[in-house]
Amino acid sequence: MIRLTKLQVRVVERIIATIPLALAVAVAAFVFMRMLPGDPVDIMMGEAAGVAQGEIEALRRQLGLDQPILVQLSNYLKGVFRGDLGYSIIRGRPVAEVIGEAIPATVELAVCAMVISVLVGVPLGTASALKQNTALDRATSAASFLGISMPPFWLGIVAILVLAMNLGWLPTSGRAPYGYEPRHITGLFILDSILTWDPEALAASLRHLVLPSLTLATGVTAVVVRITRSSMLDVMRADYITFARAKGVPERAVTVKHALRNAMIPTATLVGLEFGSLLGGNMIVETIFSWPGLGRVVVDAIFAQDYPVVQAAVMVYALTYVGMNLITDIVYTVLNPRMSI
Amino acid sequence: MRTRHFLVLATIVALALGTTAGVPTLAATKLSVIIDTEANRADEAQAIAGYLQQVGIQADVRIWEWNALKEKLLAGERQLYLTDWGSAYFDPFDIVVPKLRTGDRGNYSFYSNPEFDAALDRALAARTDEERARAYREAQAIVMQDLPWAFGYTLLTIEAARSEVQNWQPAMDGRLNMHDVSLSRGDTIIIGMGTDRIVTLDPAAYRDRHTETVIRNIFDGLVTRTWDGNVVPEIAESWERVSDTEWVFRLRKGIKFHDGSTLTADDVVFSINRVVLEGGMGDGMTSPRKGLLGTVQRAEKIDDSTVRVVLSEPFPVLLQAMVHVQIVPMAYVQSVGDDGFARQPVGCGPFRFVEGRLDDRVVMERFDDYWGGAPDIPPVGPAKVRRVIFRMMPDPTVRVAALMSGEVHIIQSVPPHMVAALEADSRIQVKTVEGTTAYNLEMNVAKPPFDDIRVRQAINYAIDWDAIIATIYENNASRLASPFLPSGFGYDPTVRPWPYDPAKARALLEEAGFSTR
């Protein structure tokens, strides 16, 4: 008999609770997609030459789109239970393959952007709280305000035009030039090139990651700075900090051990949420940088009304969010043992 | 008291009914319209609204998502809408017929004229090209009188390449023929495609141009097209129209597929039947390209190098349609199945597939045993470049940046406003070619006010398309005089675009009973 700790039991419970949620989301995605005007066959045939109405109906029949909506829904749910997400209507390939192929690119970009945001945002936010109303604080505030205000589609294009086109320091787009990709293990280029120890591939992948991840990280970093600063300011005014100082704890230990740890709780929430949305793929940044990720797949699928792909992607999103929430909650208990999930 | 209330109420009701039912009132009212458009033509719609206001029409713009608009306009609920329609055959067959024949699929204006329909039917049934051209000209003359649309323009296709790319010529059908180009430096040519993704590498499983642009470098067809739309022999050496419903193609000998096998009539028959037969693909699926081949019923082998194509009805654009059939190796497809084939396609074109992800890039390498390619499109022989990479680059600014920084060699769809910057760069060459998509302003002719020819004439007189083309599209468009494309078969080049004449527009509107003040 395996004995689980209270935390482990809670985690298992939360994971089981995601099953009905995933189903509800799948049904909602199914229903909403079918409320859109037109259908995938219409869009696929669009204004293609010489399409006869009979041909369109034949294709609909072939794809099962002529069946009553409830039959389609039950077929779809049966498939989901068997682990079969169906075939992409437009691409003619299994949905799991289409989405699975796109996820590593998105994960790599999201992780990289998040690491930058945390590594830059937390120290900057902390420093500007500790040195409130100094030049550093004001410069940080101004910079973070700018960071929030710059939309990624503009920032990305400007970065490409200046750093890639005019100065030629970095590549404009893509994940790596042909012949420089690492051997495929996980699909995460950085990880794969380390695992197979391929320094050329590592260098190429890193160079290609710089612009998109900075573009994506700018806004997130700015928010992280602001949240960290304000919660750090709150915490520094708390009684237990005064008490710690009165006890004679060195100032460095006061800020790092007592203050920062507590101040990180709102930051952890924010990082969790932002990371969840970054993992959904950023359509704009992925489009600008020709980054073959999930965001582009999903938006393309929505416009083409590729029902199976959209339904599966929405489920992936829901599960990602639930997963990120769970991880955030676990991080809470580490940061503040009084909390429980 | 009660009676007076009743009288007042009755008068109000009567007045209200009178206005809605269109009972003539003493003072004529202004014509009021809404111009529907998708977001990409919003500026143009605003400009058109401005022109209409100048002749006394109350015009507003409404922006739609295409599928939502299409649903409403097919229901006859809209009056004036900007639409576009592409042609692939260089023939009115796939633009004028579906757009304007009574009740046809793209007839969003509800235009119907039996004389026009009869002229189109004569064109479709014509036995000679002269007869067909004559029928199309008659149809063109009729529709230009009826004016179901304000005829707009075609956009130029603008492509750009680095100066080291030689013998490069954009094609009207959007294809990028990499067999013919060479590089003065390096041996890998990289193309920035103006799309998010292509859909497949299987020549029977798609219906869009971008996919064809890429895979046409791996596969050859019986016939192909010059950049300006003429059909020339490729795998077929010659052909003959045996009867209205039967064509015979004679194949070149000694053509090799990338897997080393030799092309025979069996492969050609298999490739055509895979597209046209109901359930002709594996798993009983029917190819989405079936309709492209019109009335083609089946292909039959006569001997190892002769193939018969059987039609159910005469199909005058058969040769143009055959350009879009790519020949696949029967034995290989049958052994690996459709899925396997789409993953690792084998053709007999100038390049063999190496690897690729459809939303990232497709890599191909020169096929050294290539038979040489269409003799009418020199150079003939193996491709000049060793490797070709098609990269999917959906953002136009980034395509331009990648071209200027030397990351790619050729880019598709250059935005008109970036042409000047590219032309100023000596390392870049920009070329344009006339497009085959028509952009028009359609009117719902089944309902007032556009059921009145005078109102339709007024709309055509009121809009200064040349100014719109010059300012909004920076002259990267050419004016259309009719629904017939100048690049299409049977076009009457003597027709002139409708002139811009706001005074006549006002006069016509007033004649039709509208106030223009």
Coordinates of all heavy atoms in Angstrom, one line a residue, chain A residues 37-38 42-43 45-51 53 55-56 62 87 90-91 97 101-102 157 160-161 164-165 171-174 176-178 181 287-288 290 292 296-297 300 305, chain B residues 67-68 70-71 84-86 94 105 196-197 199 207 285-286 288 290-291 339 343 354-355 357 359-361 363 387 389 391-395 397-398 401-402 404-405 407:
Chain A
P37 N -20.4 31.1 -39.2 CA -20.9 30.9 -40.6 C -20.0 30.1 -41.5 O -18.7 30.2 -41.3 CB -21.1 32.3 -41.0 CG -20.3 33.2 -40.2 CD -20.1 32.4 -38.9
G38 N -20.5 29.4 -42.4 CA -19.6 28.7 -43.4 C -19.2 27.4 -42.8 O -19.5 27.1 -41.6
D42 N -16.5 24.7 -47.6 CA -16.7 26.0 -48.2 C -15.4 26.8 -48.3 O -15.1 27.4 -49.4 CB -17.7 26.9 -47.4 CG -19.0 27.0 -48.1 OD1 -19.1 26.6 -49.2 OD2 -20.0 27.4 -47.4
I43 N -14.7 26.9 -47.2 CA -13.5 27.7 -47.1 C -12.4 27.0 -48.0 O -11.7 27.7 -48.7 CB -13.1 27.9 -45.7 CG1 -14.2 28.7 -45.0 CG2 -11.8 28.6 -45.6 CD1 -14.1 28.8 -43.5
M45 N -12.7 25.2 -50.6 CA -13.0 25.3 -52.0 C -13.1 26.8 -52.4 O -12.8 27.1 -53.5 CB -14.4 24.6 -52.3 CG -14.3 23.2 -52.2 SD -13.0 22.6 -53.4 CE -12.6 21.0 -52.8
G46 N -13.5 27.6 -51.4 CA -13.5 29.1 -51.6 C -13.9 29.4 -53.0 O -15.0 29.1 -53.5
E47 N -13.0 30.0 -53.7 CA -13.3 30.5 -55.1 C -12.5 29.6 -56.0 O -12.2 30.0 -57.1 CB -12.9 31.9 -55.2 CG -11.5 32.2 -54.8 CD -11.2 33.6 -54.5 OE1 -12.1 34.2 -53.8 OE2 -10.2 34.1 -55.0
A48 N -12.1 28.4 -55.6 CA -11.3 27.5 -56.5 C -12.1 27.3 -57.8 O -13.3 27.4 -57.8 CB -11.1 26.2 -55.8
A49 N -11.3 27.1 -58.8 CA -11.9 27.0 -60.1 C -12.9 25.9 -60.3 O -12.6 24.8 -59.8 CB -10.8 26.9 -61.2
G50 N -14.0 26.2 -61.0 CA -14.9 25.1 -61.4 C -15.3 24.1 -60.4 O -15.4 22.9 -60.6
V51 N -15.7 24.6 -59.2 CA -16.2 23.6 -58.2 C -17.7 23.5 -58.3 O -18.4 24.5 -58.4 CB -15.9 24.1 -56.8 CG1 -16.3 23.1 -55.7 CG2 -14.4 24.4 -56.6
Q53 N -21.5 22.3 -57.1 CA -22.1 22.1 -55.8 C -22.1 20.6 -55.3 O -21.8 20.3 -54.2 CB -23.6 22.6 -55.9 CG -24.3 22.9 -54.5 CD -23.5 23.9 -53.7 OE1 -23.0 24.8 -54.2 NE2 -23.3 23.6 -52.4
E55 N -19.8 18.5 -55.9 CA -18.5 18.2 -55.4 C -18.4 18.6 -53.9 O -17.8 17.9 -53.1 CB -17.5 18.9 -56.2 CG -16.1 18.4 -56.1 CD -15.1 19.3 -56.7 OE1 -15.4 20.3 -57.4 OE2 -13.9 19.1 -56.5
I56 N -18.9 19.8 -53.6 CA -18.8 20.3 -52.3 C -19.6 19.3 -51.3 O -19.1 19.0 -50.3 CB -19.4 21.7 -52.2 CG1 -18.4 22.6 -52.9 CG2 -19.7 22.1 -50.8 CD1 -18.7 24.1 -52.7
Q62 N -17.9 13.0 -47.2 CA -16.6 12.3 -46.9 C -16.1 12.7 -45.6 O -15.5 11.8 -44.9 CB -15.6 12.8 -48.0 CG -14.4 12.0 -48.1 CD -13.7 12.2 -49.5 OE1 -14.3 12.2 -50.5 NE2 -12.5 12.6 -49.4
Y87 N -8.7 13.7 -37.7 CA -7.8 14.2 -38.8 C -8.0 15.6 -39.0 O -9.2 16.1 -39.0 CB -8.1 13.4 -40.0 CG -7.2 12.2 -40.3 CD1 -7.2 11.1 -39.4 CD2 -6.3 12.3 -41.3 CE1 -6.3 10.1 -39.7 CE2 -5.4 11.2 -41.5 CZ -5.4 10.2 -40.7 OH -4.5 9.1 -40.9
I90 N -8.0 20.3 -43.2 CA -7.2 21.0 -44.2 C -5.9 20.3 -44.6 O -5.5 20.2 -45.7 CB -6.9 22.5 -43.7 CG1 -8.2 23.2 -43.3 CG2 -6.1 23.2 -44.8 CD1 -9.2 23.4 -44.4
R91 N -5.3 19.8 -43.5 CA -3.9 19.3 -43.7 C -3.9 17.8 -44.0 O -2.9 17.2 -44.4 CB -3.0 19.5 -42.5 CG -2.9 21.0 -42.3 CD -2.2 21.3 -40.9 NE -2.4 22.7 -40.5 CZ -1.4 23.5 -40.3 NH1 -0.2 23.1 -40.4 NH2 -1.7 24.8 -40.0
E97 N -0.6 14.7 -34.5 CA 0.7 14.9 -35.1 C 0.9 16.4 -35.4 O 1.9 17.0 -35.1 CB 0.6 14.1 -36.4 CG 2.0 13.8 -37.0 CD 1.8 13.0 -38.2 OE1 1.4 11.8 -38.1 OE2 2.2 13.5 -39.3
E101 N 3.7 18.4 -33.3 CA 4.8 18.9 -34.0 C 5.1 20.4 -33.7 O 6.2 20.9 -33.7 CB 4.5 18.8 -35.5 CG 5.7 18.7 -36.5 CD 5.1 18.5 -37.9 OE1 4.4 19.4 -38.4 OE2 5.4 17.5 -38.4
A102 N 4.0 21.1 -33.4 CA 4.1 22.6 -33.2 C 4.5 22.9 -31.7 O 5.0 24.0 -31.5 CB 2.8 23.2 -33.5
I157 N 8.9 43.8 -35.3 CA 9.3 44.3 -36.6 C 10.5 45.2 -36.5 O 11.4 45.1 -37.3 CB 8.1 45.0 -37.3 CG1 6.9 44.0 -37.5 CG2 8.5 45.7 -38.6 CD1 7.0 43.3 -38.8
I160 N 13.6 43.4 -35.9 CA 14.1 42.7 -37.1 C 14.7 43.7 -38.1 O 15.8 43.5 -38.6 CB 12.9 42.0 -37.8 CG1 12.5 40.7 -37.0 CG2 13.3 41.6 -39.3 CD1 11.3 40.1 -37.5
L161 N 14.0 44.8 -38.3 CA 14.6 45.8 -39.2 C 15.9 46.4 -38.8 O 16.8 46.5 -39.5 CB 13.6 47.0 -39.4 CG 12.3 46.6 -40.1 CD1 11.4 47.8 -40.3 CD2 12.5 45.9 -41.5
A164 N 18.5 42.8 -37.3 CA 18.7 41.8 -38.3 C 19.0 42.4 -39.7 O 20.0 42.0 -40.3 CB 17.5 40.8 -38.4
M165 N 18.2 43.3 -40.1 CA 18.4 43.8 -41.5 C 19.5 44.8 -41.6 O 20.4 44.7 -42.4 CB 17.0 44.4 -42.0 CG 17.0 44.6 -43.5 SD 15.5 45.2 -44.0 CE 15.9 47.0 -44.1
P171 N 19.7 36.7 -37.1 CA 18.8 36.3 -38.3 C 17.4 36.9 -38.1 O 17.0 37.2 -37.0 CB 18.8 34.8 -38.1 CG 19.2 34.4 -36.7 CD 20.1 35.5 -36.3
T172 N 16.7 37.1 -39.2 CA 15.4 37.7 -39.1 C 14.4 36.7 -38.5 O 13.5 37.2 -37.8 CB 14.9 38.1 -40.5 OG1 14.8 37.0 -41.3 CG2 15.8 39.2 -41.1
S173 N 14.4 35.5 -38.9 CA 13.3 34.6 -38.6 C 13.7 33.2 -38.7 O 14.8 32.8 -39.2 CB 12.1 34.9 -39.5 OG 12.6 34.8 -40.8
G174 N 12.8 32.3 -38.3 CA 13.0 30.8 -38.4 C 13.7 30.3 -37.1 O 14.0 31.1 -36.2
A176 N 16.3 27.7 -37.1 CA 17.7 27.5 -37.4 C 17.8 27.3 -38.9 O 16.9 26.8 -39.6 CB 18.2 26.2 -36.7
P177 N 19.0 27.7 -39.5 CA 19.1 27.5 -40.9 C 19.2 26.0 -41.3 O 19.5 25.2 -40.4 CB 20.5 28.1 -41.3 CG 21.1 28.6 -40.0 CD 20.2 28.2 -38.9
Y178 N 18.9 25.7 -42.6 CA 18.9 24.3 -43.0 C 20.3 23.7 -42.8 O 21.3 24.3 -43.1 CB 18.5 24.1 -44.4 CG 18.6 22.7 -44.9 CD1 17.8 21.7 -44.4 CD2 19.5 22.4 -45.9 CE1 17.9 20.4 -44.9 CE2 19.6 21.1 -46.4 CZ 18.8 20.1 -45.8 OH 18.9 18.8 -46.3
E181 N 20.1 22.3 -37.8 CA 19.2 21.8 -36.7 C 19.9 20.6 -36.0 O 20.6 19.9 -36.6 CB 17.9 21.4 -37.2 CG 17.2 22.2 -38.2 CD 17.6 21.8 -39.6 OE1 18.7 21.3 -39.8 OE2 16.7 22.0 -40.5
T287 N 4.1 34.6 -36.0 CA 3.9 35.0 -37.4 C 5.1 35.9 -37.8 O 5.7 35.6 -38.9 CB 2.6 35.7 -37.6 OG1 1.6 34.8 -37.2 CG2 2.4 36.1 -39.0
I288 N 5.4 36.9 -37.0 CA 6.5 37.8 -37.4 C 7.8 37.0 -37.6 O 8.5 37.2 -38.6 CB 6.7 38.9 -36.3 CG1 5.4 39.8 -36.3 CG2 7.9 39.7 -36.6 CD1 5.5 40.8 -35.2
S290 N 8.3 33.9 -38.3 CA 8.1 32.6 -39.0 C 8.4 31.5 -38.1 O 9.2 30.5 -38.5 CB 9.0 32.6 -40.2 OG 8.9 33.8 -41.0
P292 N 7.5 28.2 -36.3 CA 6.5 27.2 -36.5 C 5.8 26.6 -35.3 O 6.0 25.5 -34.9 CB 7.2 26.1 -37.3 CG 8.6 26.2 -36.9 CD 8.9 27.6 -36.5
R296 N 0.3 29.8 -34.4 CA 0.0 29.9 -35.8 C -0.9 28.8 -36.3 O -1.8 29.0 -37.1 CB 1.3 29.9 -36.6 CG 1.7 31.3 -37.1 CD 3.1 31.2 -37.6 NE 3.3 30.5 -38.8 CZ 4.4 30.1 -39.3 NH1 5.5 30.4 -38.7 NH2 4.5 29.4 -40.4
V297 N -0.6 27.6 -35.8 CA -1.5 26.5 -36.2 C -2.9 26.7 -35.9 O -3.8 26.5 -36.7 CB -1.0 25.2 -35.5 CG1 -2.0 24.0 -35.7 CG2 0.4 24.8 -36.1
D300 N -4.6 29.7 -37.8 CA -4.9 29.2 -39.2 C -6.1 28.2 -39.2 O -6.9 28.3 -40.0 CB -3.6 28.5 -39.7 CG -3.8 27.8 -41.0 OD1 -4.3 28.5 -41.9 OD2 -3.6 26.6 -41.2
Q305 N -11.6 27.0 -40.3 CA -12.6 26.3 -39.7 C -12.3 24.8 -39.7 O -13.1 23.9 -40.0 CB -14.0 26.5 -40.3 CG -14.4 28.0 -40.0 CD -15.9 28.2 -40.3 OE1 -16.7 27.3 -40.5 NE2 -16.2 29.5 -40.3
Chain B
N67 N -16.8 35.0 -44.1 CA -17.9 34.0 -44.1 C -19.2 34.6 -43.6 O -20.3 34.1 -44.1 CB -17.4 32.8 -43.2 CG -16.3 32.1 -43.9 OD1 -16.5 31.6 -45.0 ND2 -15.2 32.1 -43.2
A68 N -19.1 35.5 -42.7 CA -20.3 36.1 -42.2 C -21.0 37.0 -43.3 O -22.2 36.9 -43.5 CB -20.0 37.0 -41.0
K70 N -20.6 36.5 -46.6 CA -21.0 35.7 -47.6 C -22.4 35.1 -47.3 O -23.2 35.0 -48.2 CB -20.0 34.5 -47.8 CG -20.2 33.7 -49.0 CD -19.1 32.7 -49.2 CE -19.5 31.6 -50.1 NZ -18.5 30.5 -50.0
E71 N -22.6 34.7 -46.1 CA -23.8 34.1 -45.7 C -25.0 35.1 -45.9 O -26.0 34.8 -46.5 CB -23.8 33.8 -44.2 CG -24.9 32.8 -43.8 CD -24.7 32.4 -42.3 OE1 -24.8 33.3 -41.4 OE2 -24.4 31.2 -42.1
D84 N -13.9 39.5 -54.4 CA -12.8 39.1 -55.4 C -13.0 37.6 -55.8 O -13.6 36.9 -55.1 CB -11.4 39.3 -54.8 CG -11.2 38.5 -53.6 OD1 -10.8 37.3 -53.7 OD2 -11.4 39.0 -52.5
W85 N -12.4 37.3 -56.9 CA -12.5 35.9 -57.5 C -11.3 35.7 -58.3 O -11.0 36.4 -59.2 CB -13.8 35.8 -58.3 CG -14.2 34.4 -58.6 CD1 -13.7 33.7 -59.7 CD2 -15.1 33.6 -57.9 NE1 -14.3 32.4 -59.6 CE2 -15.1 32.3 -58.6 CE3 -15.9 33.7 -56.8 CZ2 -15.9 31.2 -58.1 CZ3 -16.7 32.7 -56.3 CH2 -16.7 31.4 -57.0
G86 N -10.7 34.5 -58.1 CA -9.5 34.2 -58.8 C -9.7 33.2 -59.9 O -10.7 32.4 -59.9
D94 N -13.6 29.7 -65.6 CA -13.6 29.6 -64.1 C -13.7 30.9 -63.4 O -13.4 31.0 -62.3 CB -12.4 28.8 -63.6 CG -11.1 29.5 -63.9 OD1 -11.1 30.5 -64.6 OD2 -10.0 29.0 -63.4
R105 N -22.5 29.3 -58.7 CA -22.0 29.3 -57.4 C -21.5 30.6 -56.9 O -21.6 31.0 -55.7 CB -20.8 28.3 -57.3 CG -20.5 27.7 -56.0 CD -19.5 26.6 -56.2 NE -18.2 27.0 -56.6 CZ -17.3 27.4 -55.7 NH1 -17.5 27.4 -54.4 NH2 -16.1 27.8 -56.2
D196 N 1.5 31.0 -44.5 CA 1.7 30.4 -43.2 C 2.1 28.9 -43.3 O 2.9 28.4 -42.5 CB 0.3 30.4 -42.5 CG 0.4 30.8 -41.1 OD1 1.5 31.4 -40.8 OD2 -0.5 30.6 -40.3
R197 N 1.5 28.3 -44.3 CA 1.8 26.9 -44.5 C 1.3 26.4 -45.9 O 0.4 27.0 -46.4 CB 1.0 26.0 -43.4 CG -0.5 26.5 -43.3 CD -1.4 25.4 -43.7 NE -2.8 25.8 -43.5 CZ -3.6 26.2 -44.4 NH1 -3.2 26.3 -45.7 NH2 -4.9 26.5 -44.2
V199 N -0.4 22.8 -47.6 CA -1.3 21.8 -46.9 C -0.8 20.4 -47.1 O -1.0 19.6 -46.2 CB -2.7 21.9 -47.4 CG1 -3.3 23.3 -47.0 CG2 -2.9 21.6 -48.8
R207 N -6.0 22.1 -52.8 CA -6.7 22.9 -53.8 C -6.2 24.3 -53.9 O -6.8 25.2 -54.4 CB -8.2 22.9 -53.5 CG -9.1 23.3 -54.6 CD -9.2 22.4 -55.7 NE -10.0 22.9 -56.8 CZ -11.2 22.3 -57.1 NH1 -11.7 21.3 -56.4 NH2 -11.9 22.8 -58.1
M285 N -11.2 7.8 -50.4 CA -11.4 9.2 -50.4 C -11.4 9.7 -51.9 O -10.8 9.1 -52.7 CB -10.3 9.9 -49.7 CG -10.2 9.5 -48.2 SD -11.5 10.3 -47.2 CE -10.7 11.7 -46.6
T286 N -12.1 10.8 -52.1 CA -12.1 11.5 -53.4 C -11.2 12.7 -53.3 O -11.3 13.4 -52.4 CB -13.6 11.9 -53.8 OG1 -14.4 10.7 -53.7 CG2 -13.6 12.4 -55.2
P288 N -9.8 16.3 -53.6 CA -10.4 17.7 -53.6 C -10.1 18.4 -55.0 O -10.6 19.5 -55.2 CB -9.8 18.4 -52.5 CG -8.6 17.7 -52.1 CD -8.8 16.3 -52.6
K290 N -10.8 17.0 -57.9 CA -11.7 16.4 -58.9 C -12.3 17.5 -59.8 O -12.3 17.4 -61.0 CB -12.7 15.5 -58.3 CG -13.7 14.9 -59.2 CD -14.6 14.0 -58.4 CE -15.9 13.6 -59.2 NZ -15.7 13.0 -60.5
G291 N -12.9 18.5 -59.1 CA -13.6 19.5 -59.9 C -12.8 20.3 -60.8 O -13.2 20.9 -61.8
D339 N -0.7 8.2 -47.1 CA 0.0 8.9 -46.0 C 1.5 8.8 -46.2 O 2.2 9.8 -46.1 CB -0.3 8.2 -44.7 CG -1.6 8.7 -44.2 OD1 -2.2 9.7 -44.8 OD2 -2.1 8.2 -43.1
R343 N 4.3 11.9 -47.0 CA 5.5 12.1 -46.1 C 6.7 12.1 -46.9 O 7.7 12.8 -46.7 CB 5.6 11.0 -45.1 CG 4.7 11.3 -43.9 CD 4.7 10.0 -43.0 NE 3.4 9.8 -42.5 CZ 2.9 10.4 -41.4 NH1 3.6 11.3 -40.7 NH2 1.6 10.2 -41.1
V354 N 13.7 16.3 -50.0 CA 14.6 15.8 -49.0 C 14.0 15.8 -47.6 O 13.9 14.7 -47.0 CB 15.8 16.8 -49.0 CG1 16.8 16.4 -47.9 CG2 16.6 16.8 -50.3
E355 N 13.5 16.9 -47.2 CA 12.8 16.9 -45.9 C 11.9 18.1 -45.8 O 12.1 19.1 -46.6 CB 13.8 16.8 -44.7 CG 14.8 18.0 -44.7 CD 15.0 18.5 -43.4 OE1 15.8 17.9 -42.6 OE2 14.5 19.6 -43.0
R357 N 8.8 20.5 -43.2 CA 7.6 20.6 -42.3 C 6.8 21.7 -43.0 O 7.3 22.8 -43.3 CB 8.1 21.1 -40.9 CG 7.5 20.2 -39.8 CD 7.8 20.8 -38.5 NE 6.8 21.7 -38.1 CZ 6.8 22.4 -37.0 NH1 7.8 22.3 -36.2 NH2 5.8 23.2 -36.7
D359 N 4.6 23.9 -42.3 CA 4.4 25.2 -41.8 C 5.8 25.9 -41.4 O 5.8 26.9 -40.8 CB 3.5 25.3 -40.6 CG 3.9 24.4 -39.5 OD1 4.9 23.7 -39.6 OD2 3.1 24.3 -38.5
D360 N 6.9 25.3 -41.9 CA 8.2 25.8 -41.6 C 9.0 25.9 -42.9 O 9.2 27.0 -43.4 CB 8.9 24.9 -40.6 CG 10.2 25.4 -40.1 OD1 10.4 26.6 -40.4 OD2 10.9 24.7 -39.3
R361 N 9.4 24.8 -43.4 CA 10.2 24.8 -44.7 C 10.2 23.5 -45.4 O 10.0 22.5 -44.7 CB 11.6 25.3 -44.4 CG 12.4 24.3 -43.7 CD 13.8 24.6 -43.7 NE 14.4 23.9 -42.6 CZ 15.2 24.4 -41.7 NH1 15.5 25.7 -41.7 NH2 15.6 23.7 -40.7
V363 N 12.6 21.3 -48.1 CA 13.9 21.3 -48.7 C 13.9 20.2 -49.8 O 13.4 19.1 -49.7 CB 15.0 20.9 -47.6 CG1 16.3 20.9 -48.3 CG2 14.9 21.8 -46.5
R387 N 20.2 23.0 -54.6 CA 19.2 22.8 -53.5 C 18.2 23.9 -53.5 O 18.6 25.1 -53.8 CB 19.9 22.7 -52.2 CG 19.0 22.4 -51.0 CD 19.7 22.4 -49.7 NE 20.7 21.4 -49.5 CZ 21.9 21.5 -49.0 NH1 22.4 22.7 -48.7 NH2 22.7 20.5 -48.9
I389 N 15.1 25.6 -51.1 CA 14.4 25.6 -49.8 C 13.3 26.6 -49.8 O 13.5 27.8 -50.1 CB 15.4 26.0 -48.6 CG1 16.6 25.0 -48.6 CG2 14.6 26.0 -47.3 CD1 17.6 25.4 -47.5
R391 N 10.7 28.5 -47.6 CA 10.4 28.9 -46.2 C 9.1 29.5 -46.1 O 8.8 30.4 -46.9 CB 11.5 29.8 -45.7 CG 12.8 29.1 -45.3 CD 13.8 30.0 -44.7 NE 13.2 30.7 -43.5 CZ 13.8 31.6 -42.8 NH1 15.0 32.1 -43.2 NH2 13.2 32.1 -41.7
M392 N 8.3 29.1 -45.2 CA 7.0 29.8 -45.0 C 7.2 31.0 -44.1 O 7.5 30.9 -42.9 CB 6.0 28.8 -44.3 CG 5.9 27.4 -44.9 SD 5.6 27.5 -46.7 CE 6.5 26.0 -47.2
M393 N 7.0 32.2 -44.7 CA 7.2 33.4 -44.0 C 6.0 34.3 -44.1 O 5.9 35.2 -45.0 CB 8.5 34.1 -44.6 CG 9.7 33.2 -44.5 SD 11.2 34.0 -45.1 CE 11.5 35.2 -43.8
P394 N 5.0 34.2 -43.2 CA 3.7 34.9 -43.4 C 3.8 36.4 -43.3 O 3.0 37.1 -43.9 CB 2.8 34.3 -42.3 CG 3.8 33.7 -41.3 CD 5.0 33.2 -42.1
D395 N 4.8 36.9 -42.6 CA 4.8 38.4 -42.5 C 5.5 39.1 -43.6 O 6.7 38.8 -43.8 CB 5.4 38.8 -41.1 CG 5.2 40.2 -40.8 OD1 6.0 41.1 -41.3 OD2 4.2 40.6 -40.1
T397 N 6.7 42.2 -44.1 CA 7.8 43.1 -43.7 C 9.0 42.2 -43.4 O 10.1 42.5 -43.8 CB 7.5 43.9 -42.5 OG1 6.2 44.4 -42.6 CG2 8.5 45.0 -42.3
V398 N 8.8 41.1 -42.8 CA 9.9 40.2 -42.5 C 10.5 39.5 -43.7 O 11.7 39.3 -43.8 CB 9.5 39.2 -41.4 CG1 10.6 38.2 -41.1 CG2 9.1 39.9 -40.1
A401 N 12.7 42.1 -45.1 CA 13.9 42.2 -44.3 C 14.8 41.0 -44.6 O 16.1 41.2 -44.7 CB 13.6 42.3 -42.8
A402 N 14.3 39.9 -44.7 CA 15.1 38.7 -44.9 C 15.7 38.7 -46.3 O 16.9 38.3 -46.4 CB 14.2 37.4 -44.7
M404 N 16.5 41.5 -47.9 CA 17.6 42.6 -47.9 C 18.8 42.1 -47.1 O 19.9 42.5 -47.4 CB 17.0 43.9 -47.3 CG 16.0 44.5 -48.3 SD 15.3 46.0 -47.8 CE 16.4 47.2 -48.5
S405 N 18.6 41.3 -46.0 CA 19.8 40.9 -45.3 C 20.4 39.6 -45.9 O 21.4 39.1 -45.4 CB 19.3 40.6 -43.8 OG 18.5 39.4 -43.8
E407 N 19.1 36.6 -46.3 CA 18.8 35.3 -45.7 C 18.0 34.5 -46.8 O 18.0 33.3 -46.7 CB 17.9 35.5 -44.5 CG 18.5 35.2 -43.2 CD 17.6 35.5 -42.1 OE1 16.6 34.8 -41.9 OE2 17.9 36.5 -41.4

